[in-house]
Each structure stands twice: as C-alpha cells, then as structure tokens.
Amino acid sequence: DYVNAGIEKGKRGDFKGAIADFTRAIEIDPQYAGAYYNRGYAKDELKDYQGAIADYSKAIAINPKHALAYNNRGIAKKNLKDYQGAIADFGKAIEINPQDATAYQNRGISKINSGDRKGACSDWGKSLSLGHETTERMFADPKLDLGWCRNMR
C-alpha cells in the first residue's frame, strides 16, 4: 500500500517520494489520519513546517486522540518560534498520554525558549522521572550548564 511505501521511502531519506505516496493514500482514503501524520512528518524533514502543521492538524481533526500528531505539530511550531502554540500542543499530547516523557522534554524546551525557566525545569524533571534518555543526556552535558535547574527542583 501507499502508506507503507511512503514510510520505506522516508527511511531511505526520499521524503519527496514519501510525500507523493502519502498523498496517493489520502486520495484513496481522505479520512486516514495516519497518512496525514506521515506526510506531515516527511514535510517536517524537508523543513516545510507550515505544510507539516497543516497535515498534523488534519490528522488531529480526524483523530483527536493522536498524541504523536500533537507532539510533532508542537515541534514544527517550535521550529517556527511559535513557542506558545508549541507549549499548547505538547500539553495536549501530555493530556492524552501523561507518561509521554518526550512531550515533557519538548514542552520544557519551548518553555525555556519563551522565558519560563521554572516551567521548563518542572517539565524536564518530569521527563527525567519517566526515564527519558535524551533528557538525561541533556542534564549530563556540561556545555548546556543546567545546574540552575537541578538547584531549582
């Protein structure tokens, strides 16, 4: 099927080919949230953040419990420096799946970028408590100098 073909192309780095396959899948079944989600991911990889947001939004409209679509739409918004929009999307992903350590980590990054150090630290602490390896590496990296956050928690 076109979705699996698109996923395989994406794994090989052929994101334009993947988008074409996901578009074909959407033409066949316009209510297939997974096709919109995957096309959004491919657009994200090509730095078409507005296009990615549109596809993630369509996936969410079809499946309002699609936590990954909220998370990835948040990343695209963060990349466009829409930190408040990103924070809202990560919050929705967390509401759907409170054990999503990645969403806490991502929301923390958007919070620090918007000037909310305390909120960022709180989210990173939750991400750490859920065993998120990327957050653990972030705190272990002396170049990031997150001692202020350790002291805040």
Tab-separated table of all heavy atoms in Angstrom, residues 55-109:
chain	number	residue	atom	x	y	z
A	55	ASP	N	-0.780	19.248	7.849
A	55	ASP	CA	-1.052	17.813	7.827
A	55	ASP	C	-1.276	17.250	9.226
A	55	ASP	O	-2.172	16.430	9.436
A	55	ASP	CB	0.070	17.063	7.116
A	55	ASP	CG	-0.072	17.124	5.601
A	55	ASP	OD1	-1.158	17.492	5.101
A	55	ASP	OD2	0.908	16.796	4.912
A	56	TYR	N	-0.473	17.671	10.196
A	56	TYR	CA	-0.704	17.209	11.566
A	56	TYR	C	-2.077	17.669	12.058
A	56	TYR	O	-2.786	16.921	12.731
A	56	TYR	CB	0.384	17.727	12.517
A	56	TYR	CG	1.761	17.166	12.269
A	56	TYR	CD1	2.876	17.996	12.327
A	56	TYR	CD2	1.979	15.819	11.990
A	56	TYR	CE1	4.159	17.495	12.120
A	56	TYR	CE2	3.248	15.311	11.779
A	56	TYR	CZ	4.332	16.157	11.851
A	56	TYR	OH	5.603	15.676	11.650
A	57	SER	N	-2.466	18.880	11.692
A	57	SER	CA	-3.786	19.397	12.096
A	57	SER	C	-4.907	18.563	11.495
A	57	SER	O	-5.915	18.294	12.159
A	57	SER	CB	-3.937	20.863	11.690
A	57	SER	OG	-3.007	21.669	12.389
A	58	LYS	N	-4.736	18.143	10.251
A	58	LYS	CA	-5.744	17.293	9.611
A	58	LYS	C	-5.800	15.932	10.302
A	58	LYS	O	-6.895	15.399	10.540
A	58	LYS	CB	-5.432	17.150	8.116
A	58	LYS	CG	-6.476	16.393	7.344
A	58	LYS	CD	-7.814	17.103	7.292
A	58	LYS	CE	-8.780	16.318	6.426
A	58	LYS	NZ	-10.123	16.877	6.416
A	59	ALA	N	-4.644	15.371	10.640
A	59	ALA	CA	-4.626	14.090	11.364
A	59	ALA	C	-5.350	14.226	12.697
A	59	ALA	O	-6.121	13.337	13.088
A	59	ALA	CB	-3.184	13.621	11.572
A	60	ILE	N	-5.141	15.338	13.380
A	60	ILE	CA	-5.795	15.591	14.672
A	60	ILE	C	-7.300	15.774	14.494
A	60	ILE	O	-8.088	15.298	15.298
A	60	ILE	CB	-5.145	16.807	15.364
A	60	ILE	CG1	-3.722	16.453	15.812
A	60	ILE	CG2	-5.995	17.302	16.528
A	60	ILE	CD1	-2.858	17.655	16.171
A	61	ALA	N	-7.700	16.457	13.420
A	61	ALA	CA	-9.141	16.641	13.165
A	61	ALA	C	-9.822	15.288	12.962
A	61	ALA	O	-10.954	15.088	13.412
A	61	ALA	CB	-9.344	17.533	11.944
A	62	ILE	N	-9.136	14.365	12.316
A	62	ILE	CA	-9.693	13.035	12.079
A	62	ILE	C	-9.632	12.191	13.350
A	62	ILE	O	-10.577	11.477	13.680
A	62	ILE	CB	-8.939	12.333	10.928
A	62	ILE	CG1	-9.165	13.097	9.618
A	62	ILE	CG2	-9.371	10.869	10.790
A	62	ILE	CD1	-8.219	12.693	8.493
A	63	ASN	N	-8.519	12.291	14.078
A	63	ASN	CA	-8.321	11.514	15.307
A	63	ASN	C	-7.824	12.443	16.415
A	63	ASN	O	-6.619	12.635	16.575
A	63	ASN	CB	-7.311	10.383	15.069
A	63	ASN	CG	-7.022	9.597	16.332
A	63	ASN	OD1	-7.630	9.814	17.381
A	63	ASN	ND2	-6.064	8.686	16.259
A	64	PRO	N	-8.758	13.015	17.181
A	64	PRO	CA	-8.377	13.986	18.217
A	64	PRO	C	-7.509	13.412	19.339
A	64	PRO	O	-6.986	14.165	20.152
A	64	PRO	CB	-9.717	14.468	18.772
A	64	PRO	CG	-10.724	14.116	17.728
A	64	PRO	CD	-10.200	12.901	17.035
A	65	LYS	N	-7.339	12.114	19.397
A	65	LYS	CA	-6.500	11.481	20.433
A	65	LYS	C	-5.127	11.093	19.896
A	65	LYS	O	-4.408	10.294	20.494
A	65	LYS	CB	-7.203	10.235	20.997
A	65	LYS	CG	-8.508	10.522	21.686
A	65	LYS	CD	-8.278	11.228	22.990
A	65	LYS	CE	-9.581	11.431	23.741
A	65	LYS	NZ	-9.377	12.278	24.910
A	66	HIS	N	-4.724	11.660	18.771
A	66	HIS	CA	-3.449	11.332	18.122
A	66	HIS	C	-2.332	12.117	18.807
A	66	HIS	O	-1.917	13.186	18.345
A	66	HIS	CB	-3.528	11.670	16.636
A	66	HIS	CG	-2.534	10.959	15.780
A	66	HIS	ND1	-1.194	10.901	16.075
A	66	HIS	CD2	-2.685	10.273	14.623
A	66	HIS	CE1	-0.563	10.225	15.142
A	66	HIS	NE2	-1.451	9.822	14.246
A	67	ALA	N	-1.829	11.583	19.927
A	67	ALA	CA	-0.830	12.284	20.740
A	67	ALA	C	0.433	12.599	19.948
A	67	ALA	O	1.009	13.685	20.096
A	67	ALA	CB	-0.492	11.462	21.980
A	68	LEU	N	0.880	11.679	19.088
A	68	LEU	CA	2.097	11.934	18.303
A	68	LEU	C	1.912	13.098	17.337
A	68	LEU	O	2.846	13.860	17.096
A	68	LEU	CB	2.518	10.686	17.542
A	68	LEU	CG	3.229	9.616	18.365
A	68	LEU	CD1	3.454	8.377	17.519
A	68	LEU	CD2	4.539	10.128	18.927
A	69	ALA	N	0.710	13.230	16.790
A	69	ALA	CA	0.454	14.351	15.887
A	69	ALA	C	0.534	15.674	16.652
A	69	ALA	O	1.085	16.653	16.146
A	69	ALA	CB	-0.898	14.199	15.195
A	70	TYR	N	0.002	15.708	17.881
A	70	TYR	CA	0.136	16.922	18.699
A	70	TYR	C	1.598	17.199	19.002
A	70	TYR	O	2.063	18.341	18.906
A	70	TYR	CB	-0.628	16.788	20.023
A	70	TYR	CG	-2.105	17.045	19.905
A	70	TYR	CD1	-3.016	16.001	19.952
A	70	TYR	CD2	-2.593	18.341	19.761
A	70	TYR	CE1	-4.382	16.230	19.856
A	70	TYR	CE2	-3.956	18.585	19.664
A	70	TYR	CZ	-4.844	17.532	19.714
A	70	TYR	OH	-6.190	17.762	19.617
A	71	ASN	N	2.342	16.151	19.380
A	71	ASN	CA	3.758	16.338	19.706
A	71	ASN	C	4.528	16.870	18.495
A	71	ASN	O	5.275	17.847	18.604
A	71	ASN	CB	4.368	15.018	20.193
A	71	ASN	CG	5.784	15.206	20.674
A	71	ASN	OD1	6.032	15.859	21.685
A	71	ASN	ND2	6.733	14.649	19.942
A	72	ASN	N	4.326	16.254	17.344
A	72	ASN	CA	5.083	16.668	16.166
A	72	ASN	C	4.639	18.036	15.651
A	72	ASN	O	5.464	18.805	15.154
A	72	ASN	CB	4.986	15.607	15.076
A	72	ASN	CG	5.847	14.400	15.399
A	72	ASN	OD1	6.271	14.209	16.535
A	72	ASN	ND2	6.110	13.584	14.410
A	73	ARG	N	3.351	18.343	15.793
A	73	ARG	CA	2.905	19.689	15.414
A	73	ARG	C	3.562	20.712	16.341
A	73	ARG	O	3.967	21.794	15.910
A	73	ARG	CB	1.377	19.785	15.468
A	73	ARG	CG	0.863	21.107	14.903
A	73	ARG	CD	-0.642	21.152	14.813
A	73	ARG	NE	-1.261	21.300	16.119
A	73	ARG	CZ	-2.565	21.411	16.325
A	73	ARG	NH1	-3.407	21.378	15.296
A	73	ARG	NH2	-3.051	21.542	17.538
A	74	GLY	N	3.704	20.351	17.615
A	74	GLY	CA	4.399	21.223	18.556
A	74	GLY	C	5.839	21.467	18.156
A	74	GLY	O	6.341	22.582	18.245
A	75	ILE	N	6.513	20.421	17.680
A	75	ILE	CA	7.905	20.578	17.234
A	75	ILE	C	7.964	21.523	16.036
A	75	ILE	O	8.829	22.404	15.976
A	75	ILE	CB	8.520	19.203	16.893
A	75	ILE	CG1	8.696	18.372	18.171
A	75	ILE	CG2	9.861	19.369	16.174
A	75	ILE	CD1	9.042	16.917	17.927
A	76	ALA	N	7.050	21.347	15.089
A	76	ALA	CA	7.027	22.229	13.915
A	76	ALA	C	6.770	23.678	14.343
A	76	ALA	O	7.412	24.607	13.841
A	76	ALA	CB	5.975	21.761	12.913
A	77	LYS	N	5.850	23.875	15.288
A	77	LYS	CA	5.587	25.231	15.780
A	77	LYS	C	6.813	25.799	16.487
A	77	LYS	O	7.145	26.973	16.315
A	77	LYS	CB	4.371	25.232	16.715
A	77	LYS	CG	3.061	25.033	15.978
A	77	LYS	CD	1.880	25.020	16.938
A	77	LYS	CE	0.561	24.854	16.193
A	77	LYS	NZ	-0.575	24.815	17.143
A	78	LYS	N	7.495	24.961	17.270
A	78	LYS	CA	8.719	25.410	17.944
A	78	LYS	C	9.752	25.845	16.906
A	78	LYS	O	10.409	26.865	17.069
A	78	LYS	CB	9.283	24.297	18.813
A	78	LYS	CG	10.617	24.642	19.478
A	78	LYS	CD	11.231	23.463	20.197
A	78	LYS	CE	11.731	22.381	19.309
A	78	LYS	NZ	12.914	22.656	18.502
A	79	ASN	N	9.863	25.081	15.830
A	79	ASN	CA	10.822	25.422	14.779
A	79	ASN	C	10.489	26.753	14.110
A	79	ASN	O	11.377	27.412	13.576
A	79	ASN	CB	10.910	24.302	13.744
A	79	ASN	CG	11.631	23.087	14.286
A	79	ASN	OD1	12.455	23.184	15.184
A	79	ASN	ND2	11.303	21.926	13.753
A	80	LEU	N	9.231	27.143	14.153
A	80	LEU	CA	8.798	28.439	13.620
A	80	LEU	C	8.793	29.523	14.708
A	80	LEU	O	8.325	30.631	14.474
A	80	LEU	CB	7.405	28.313	12.996
A	80	LEU	CG	7.335	27.473	11.724
A	80	LEU	CD1	5.878	27.270	11.303
A	80	LEU	CD2	8.125	28.134	10.602
A	81	LYS	N	9.302	29.163	15.892
A	81	LYS	CA	9.382	30.063	17.048
A	81	LYS	C	8.009	30.460	17.597
A	81	LYS	O	7.869	31.484	18.272
A	81	LYS	CB	10.239	31.290	16.751
A	81	LYS	CG	11.682	30.926	16.404
A	81	LYS	CD	12.562	32.124	16.279
A	81	LYS	CE	14.004	31.852	15.939
A	81	LYS	NZ	14.529	30.541	15.908
A	82	ASP	N	6.987	29.620	17.327
A	82	ASP	CA	5.665	29.796	17.941
A	82	ASP	C	5.659	28.969	19.229
A	82	ASP	O	5.090	27.881	19.287
A	82	ASP	CB	4.560	29.328	16.977
A	82	ASP	CG	3.175	29.360	17.610
A	82	ASP	OD1	3.014	29.918	18.731
A	82	ASP	OD2	2.234	28.806	16.998
A	83	TYR	N	6.356	29.496	20.233
A	83	TYR	CA	6.554	28.725	21.451
A	83	TYR	C	5.255	28.496	22.227
A	83	TYR	O	5.057	27.416	22.779
A	83	TYR	CB	7.610	29.393	22.339
A	83	TYR	CG	8.935	29.521	21.634
A	83	TYR	CD1	9.546	30.764	21.472
A	83	TYR	CD2	9.586	28.405	21.107
A	83	TYR	CE1	10.764	30.886	20.816
A	83	TYR	CE2	10.797	28.520	20.441
A	83	TYR	CZ	11.371	29.759	20.300
A	83	TYR	OH	12.568	29.881	19.634
A	84	GLN	N	4.375	29.496	22.250
A	84	GLN	CA	3.106	29.299	22.972
A	84	GLN	C	2.245	28.243	22.285
A	84	GLN	O	1.614	27.412	22.950
A	84	GLN	CB	2.358	30.629	23.124
A	84	GLN	CG	3.083	31.639	24.004
A	84	GLN	CD	3.507	31.071	25.348
A	84	GLN	OE1	2.734	30.440	26.056
A	84	GLN	NE2	4.764	31.297	25.709
A	85	GLY	N	2.209	28.265	20.959
A	85	GLY	CA	1.479	27.227	20.223
A	85	GLY	C	2.078	25.852	20.459
A	85	GLY	O	1.353	24.861	20.618
A	86	ALA	N	3.406	25.791	20.498
A	86	ALA	CA	4.095	24.527	20.753
A	86	ALA	C	3.782	24.020	22.155
A	86	ALA	O	3.461	22.837	22.340
A	86	ALA	CB	5.598	24.708	20.577
A	87	ILE	N	3.845	24.908	23.142
A	87	ILE	CA	3.551	24.526	24.527
A	87	ILE	C	2.142	23.960	24.630
A	87	ILE	O	1.899	22.942	25.286
A	87	ILE	CB	3.764	25.723	25.474
A	87	ILE	CG1	5.255	26.038	25.593
A	87	ILE	CG2	3.137	25.474	26.845
A	87	ILE	CD1	5.573	27.392	26.216
A	88	ALA	N	1.186	24.588	23.946
A	88	ALA	CA	-0.200	24.103	23.973
A	88	ALA	C	-0.293	22.700	23.359
A	88	ALA	O	-0.978	21.820	23.897
A	88	ALA	CB	-1.115	25.076	23.233
A	89	ASP	N	0.398	22.485	22.238
A	89	ASP	CA	0.347	21.167	21.602
A	89	ASP	C	1.015	20.098	22.456
A	89	ASP	O	0.493	18.985	22.589
A	89	ASP	CB	0.991	21.213	20.217
A	89	ASP	CG	0.044	21.738	19.151
A	89	ASP	OD1	-1.171	21.841	19.406
A	89	ASP	OD2	0.522	22.045	18.041
A	90	PHE	N	2.162	20.406	23.048
A	90	PHE	CA	2.807	19.424	23.917
A	90	PHE	C	1.918	19.122	25.124
A	90	PHE	O	1.823	17.982	25.565
A	90	PHE	CB	4.186	19.904	24.365
A	90	PHE	CG	5.162	20.087	23.236
A	90	PHE	CD1	5.932	21.236	23.146
A	90	PHE	CD2	5.322	19.124	22.248
A	90	PHE	CE1	6.840	21.418	22.112
A	90	PHE	CE2	6.224	19.293	21.200
A	90	PHE	CZ	6.978	20.446	21.138
A	91	GLY	N	1.237	20.161	25.632
A	91	GLY	CA	0.313	19.965	26.749
A	91	GLY	C	-0.824	19.026	26.376
A	91	GLY	O	-1.228	18.179	27.177
A	92	LYS	N	-1.322	19.148	25.156
A	92	LYS	CA	-2.392	18.267	24.697
A	92	LYS	C	-1.871	16.835	24.556
A	92	LYS	O	-2.562	15.874	24.932
A	92	LYS	CB	-2.964	18.780	23.373
A	92	LYS	CG	-4.205	18.062	22.930
A	92	LYS	CD	-5.370	18.286	23.881
A	92	LYS	CE	-6.619	17.600	23.344
A	92	LYS	NZ	-7.724	17.642	24.286
A	93	ALA	N	-0.659	16.669	24.042
A	93	ALA	CA	-0.063	15.329	23.938
A	93	ALA	C	0.061	14.703	25.327
A	93	ALA	O	-0.232	13.513	25.505
A	93	ALA	CB	1.298	15.403	23.251
A	94	ILE	N	0.459	15.510	26.310
A	94	ILE	CA	0.599	15.030	27.692
A	94	ILE	C	-0.768	14.693	28.280
A	94	ILE	O	-0.917	13.696	28.992
A	94	ILE	CB	1.349	16.075	28.541
A	94	ILE	CG1	2.813	16.143	28.092
A	94	ILE	CG2	1.221	15.780	30.027
A	94	ILE	CD1	3.570	17.368	28.586
A	95	GLU	N	-1.767	15.503	27.977
A	95	GLU	CA	-3.130	15.227	28.456
A	95	GLU	C	-3.608	13.864	27.936
A	95	GLU	O	-4.222	13.091	28.675
A	95	GLU	CB	-4.059	16.341	27.966
A	95	GLU	CG	-5.497	16.205	28.392
A	95	GLU	CD	-6.345	17.320	27.783
A	95	GLU	OE1	-5.925	18.498	27.861
A	95	GLU	OE2	-7.403	17.003	27.219
A	96	ILE	N	-3.316	13.564	26.680
A	96	ILE	CA	-3.715	12.284	26.077
A	96	ILE	C	-2.882	11.139	26.644
A	96	ILE	O	-3.402	10.057	26.926
A	96	ILE	CB	-3.574	12.351	24.541
A	96	ILE	CG1	-4.566	13.365	23.971
A	96	ILE	CG2	-3.788	10.972	23.903
A	96	ILE	CD1	-4.289	13.761	22.526
A	97	ASN	N	-1.580	11.370	26.820
A	97	ASN	CA	-0.676	10.333	27.326
A	97	ASN	C	0.246	10.937	28.385
A	97	ASN	O	1.338	11.415	28.063
A	97	ASN	CB	0.148	9.724	26.186
A	97	ASN	CG	1.105	8.660	26.675
A	97	ASN	OD1	1.084	8.278	27.846
A	97	ASN	ND2	1.965	8.193	25.802
A	98	PRO	N	-0.185	10.910	29.664
A	98	PRO	CA	0.604	11.534	30.735
A	98	PRO	C	1.978	10.891	30.969
A	98	PRO	O	2.796	11.457	31.677
A	98	PRO	CB	-0.275	11.369	31.978
A	98	PRO	CG	-1.638	11.074	31.464
A	98	PRO	CD	-1.468	10.411	30.138
A	99	GLN	N	2.242	9.759	30.369
A	99	GLN	CA	3.533	9.087	30.521
A	99	GLN	C	4.480	9.390	29.361
A	99	GLN	O	5.538	8.761	29.229
A	99	GLN	CB	3.327	7.566	30.634
A	99	GLN	CG	2.452	7.161	31.804
A	99	GLN	CD	2.978	7.671	33.140
A	99	GLN	OE1	4.129	7.429	33.475
A	99	GLN	NE2	2.161	8.399	33.882
A	100	ASP	N	4.141	10.361	28.520
A	100	ASP	CA	4.935	10.693	27.347
A	100	ASP	C	6.104	11.603	27.741
A	100	ASP	O	5.998	12.826	27.733
A	100	ASP	CB	4.057	11.356	26.288
A	100	ASP	CG	4.781	11.593	24.976
A	100	ASP	OD1	6.020	11.473	24.931
A	100	ASP	OD2	4.104	11.921	23.988
A	101	ALA	N	7.225	10.973	28.074
A	101	ALA	CA	8.400	11.722	28.527
A	101	ALA	C	8.921	12.677	27.459
A	101	ALA	O	9.413	13.758	27.777
A	101	ALA	CB	9.502	10.740	28.941
A	102	THR	N	8.803	12.290	26.190
A	102	THR	CA	9.277	13.143	25.102
A	102	THR	C	8.490	14.448	25.049
A	102	THR	O	9.068	15.519	24.840
A	102	THR	CB	9.181	12.392	23.760
A	102	THR	OG1	9.975	11.213	23.836
A	102	THR	CG2	9.647	13.254	22.604
A	103	ALA	N	7.181	14.373	25.249
A	103	ALA	CA	6.362	15.587	25.219
A	103	ALA	C	6.749	16.532	26.353
A	103	ALA	O	6.794	17.750	26.167
A	103	ALA	CB	4.878	15.230	25.280
A	104	TYR	N	7.050	15.976	27.539
A	104	TYR	CA	7.505	16.833	28.646
A	104	TYR	C	8.835	17.501	28.292
A	104	TYR	O	9.024	18.687	28.550
A	104	TYR	CB	7.677	16.023	29.934
A	104	TYR	CG	6.390	15.686	30.634
A	104	TYR	CD1	5.841	14.416	30.541
A	104	TYR	CD2	5.718	16.643	31.398
A	104	TYR	CE1	4.656	14.094	31.191
A	104	TYR	CE2	4.529	16.331	32.049
A	104	TYR	CZ	4.006	15.053	31.943
A	104	TYR	OH	2.829	14.753	32.587
A	105	GLN	N	9.745	16.731	27.712
A	105	GLN	CA	11.043	17.292	27.352
A	105	GLN	C	10.874	18.404	26.316
A	105	GLN	O	11.441	19.479	26.443
A	105	GLN	CB	11.970	16.195	26.820
A	105	GLN	CG	13.413	16.649	26.770
A	105	GLN	CD	14.030	16.569	25.404
A	105	GLN	OE1	13.382	16.299	24.414
A	105	GLN	NE2	15.308	16.845	25.354
A	106	ASN	N	10.053	18.133	25.291
A	106	ASN	CA	9.819	19.129	24.244
A	106	ASN	C	9.136	20.379	24.794
A	106	ASN	O	9.489	21.496	24.427
A	106	ASN	CB	8.984	18.525	23.112
A	106	ASN	CG	9.782	17.551	22.276
A	106	ASN	OD1	10.993	17.633	22.178
A	106	ASN	ND2	9.085	16.603	21.672
A	107	ARG	N	8.163	20.179	25.684
A	107	ARG	CA	7.482	21.339	26.252
A	107	ARG	C	8.462	22.162	27.089
A	107	ARG	O	8.435	23.398	27.058
A	107	ARG	CB	6.277	20.903	27.091
A	107	ARG	CG	5.411	22.078	27.514
A	107	ARG	CD	4.116	21.660	28.152
A	107	ARG	NE	4.325	21.070	29.467
A	107	ARG	CZ	3.350	20.669	30.274
A	107	ARG	NH1	2.086	20.764	29.884
A	107	ARG	NH2	3.622	20.151	31.451
A	108	GLY	N	9.366	21.482	27.779
A	108	GLY	CA	10.387	22.188	28.548
A	108	GLY	C	11.267	23.055	27.667
A	108	GLY	O	11.591	24.191	28.020
A	109	ILE	N	11.635	22.536	26.505
A	109	ILE	CA	12.458	23.320	25.576
A	109	ILE	C	11.697	24.561	25.113
A	109	ILE	O	12.247	25.661	25.062
A	109	ILE	CB	12.901	22.445	24.383
A	109	ILE	CG1	13.902	21.388	24.865
A	109	ILE	CG2	13.504	23.308	23.265
A	109	ILE	CD1	14.199	20.309	23.848
